[in-house]
Amino acid sequence: MKIKRLQAVAMTTALSAGALMGSVAAADTIDSVLSVGQQKTAAAQSSQKRIDKIAEETNSLLQDFKVVNKEIDGLRVYNKQLEKQLANQLDVIRKLEQSIANVTVIERQIQPLILRMVTALEQFIELDVPFDLDARMANLEKVKSNMDRSDITVAEKFRQILELYNFESEYSRKINSYRDTLVVDGQEREVNVLQIGRIALVAQTTDSSTTLAYDKEQKGWVEVDAGEYRRAVMEGLKIAKNQATKAIMTMPIPAPEAAQ
């Protein structure tokens, strides 16, 4: 009986030891499984972080790509505009080069033209009614003296002669008066000259006793009827000096010639 009890105890002890060993083995397996799970979880978390980082970088690159695309579109439009401007500038340069090539020819042609204009103007003044003659001839001589100067450009010479032509044209629309000295009855007398465009040129002595008119046919001054023109010339002189308002005046004007 004792032997059976001992066998039973031994068997129980063996079973207990086996159960214990089994429990320990199971615990080790669970720990191993848990450890593997934790490792997988950690690896998954690490992978997710890398995925999130890659996704963030990809999104950032996408935004940069969109921005760069917009800049490229803007640059394309800008380049097209620059191409148009460049084409226009090249056309201007081509025209300027052509003008520069022709400037020597133009200068050679314009210089003789200026000289002919000066000669024509001088002849015109000499044949014209001799009003304010000293001032007109002085202006002409000044321009003539500039024609041979090398320090004055052709353009400036042309401007000066055009200015004289403009002055002569303005005389046709002016009512002007000035002092002068004329020979009246063999004596030099100081007179007030009244110039009405190129229609009439009359004069009156300062004491208003004698009235004269320039006769183109005789190319000289002739005395006119003081009773008819004396007061009209006096009124005309006041108008020229802005001392009276403009009005109709009776002046000794030559009758127009019949057409041939």
Side-chain angles (χ1 to χ4, degrees):
M1 292 298 291
K2 289 182 180 179
I3 293 171
K4 289 181 179 178
R5 287 195 194 98
L6 289 172
Q7 290 177 347
V9 171
M11 187 176 293
T12 302
T13 301
L15 290 172
S16 297
L20 181 60
M21 292 297 292
S23 297
V24 172
D28 290 341
T29 300
I30 293 172
D31 290 339
S32 178
V33 170
L34 291 174
S35 177
V36 171
Q38 290 175 351
Q39 291 176 359
K40 288 182 177 181
T41 301
Q45 291 175 346
S46 179
S47 297
Q48 185 62 45
K49 288 180 180 179
R50 287 197 298 272
I51 291 170
D52 292 343
K53 185 177 181 181
I54 291 171
E56 184 178 350
E57 291 176 351
T58 302
N59 185 58
S60 178
L61 289 173
L62 179 61
Q63 295 303 319
D64 291 343
F65 176 75
K66 291 180 179 179
V67 172
V68 170
N69 266 348
K70 288 183 179 180
E71 291 178 354
I72 290 173
D73 291 339
L75 288 173
R76 284 174 179 167
V77 174
Y78 180 67
N79 286 339
K80 286 183 180 179
Q81 184 64 27
L82 284 181
E83 287 175 359
K84 292 180 181 179
Q85 292 179 0
L86 180 61
N88 183 59
Q89 289 174 354
L90 290 174
D91 185 57
V92 172
I93 291 173
R94 181 184 58 78
K95 291 179 180 178
L96 287 174
E97 289 176 346
Q98 185 177 2
S99 297
I100 292 171
N102 295 333
V103 69
T104 304
V105 177
I106 294 173
E107 187 172 348
R108 285 200 301 263
Q109 293 175 348
I110 201 170
Q111 185 68 37
L113 172 63
I114 293 173
L115 294 176
R116 289 196 298 271
M117 291 176 69
V118 170
T119 302
L121 185 59
E122 184 175 18
Q123 293 175 351
F124 175 79
I125 293 175
E126 290 174 353
L127 296 173
D128 194 22
V129 179
F131 58 85
D132 209 6
L133 194 57
D134 292 340
R136 293 164 70 192
M137 292 302 296
N139 291 334
L140 179 62
E141 288 300 324
K142 182 179 179 181
V143 172
K144 285 177 64 177
S145 66
N146 289 336
M147 292 298 105
D148 297 329
R149 291 180 56 178
S150 60
D151 59 330
I152 299 179
T153 63
V154 175
E156 175 60 19
K157 293 175 183 178
F158 191 63
R159 186 199 66 79
Q160 290 180 5
I161 188 63
L162 285 181
E163 188 175 42
L164 278 186
Y165 270 79
N166 184 56
F167 286 160
E168 289 296 325
S169 176
E170 287 294 323
Y171 280 130
S172 300
R173 297 187 289 269
K174 285 183 177 180
I175 298 177
N176 188 31
S177 68
Y178 58 92
R179 284 287 183 94
D180 201 354
T181 301
L182 299 177
V183 177
V184 180
D185 296 331
Q187 297 181 349
E188 288 189 351
R189 298 283 300 274
E190 189 174 356
V191 297
N192 292 313
V193 179
L194 174 64
Q195 171 233 332
I196 304 175
R198 285 186 165 84
I199 297 175
L201 182 63
V202 295
Q204 196 171 71
T205 55
T206 53
D207 61 0
S208 303
S209 61
T210 305
T211 302
L212 305 103
Y214 185 80
D215 191 324
K216 287 184 179 181
E217 292 184 358
Q218 299 183 31
K219 295 183 179 180
W221 293 90
V222 295
E223 188 172 348
V224 295
D225 186 358
E228 184 178 0
Y229 296 113
R230 177 174 175 272
R231 186 171 296 279
V233 172
M234 291 175 63
E235 187 66 21
L237 289 169
K238 290 180 180 179
I239 293 173
K241 297 175 182 178
N242 294 321
Q243 296 174 352
T245 58
K246 292 181 179 180
I248 296 175
M249 296 176 290
T250 302
M251 291 290 163
I253 299 174
E257 297 179 359
Q260 299 296 326

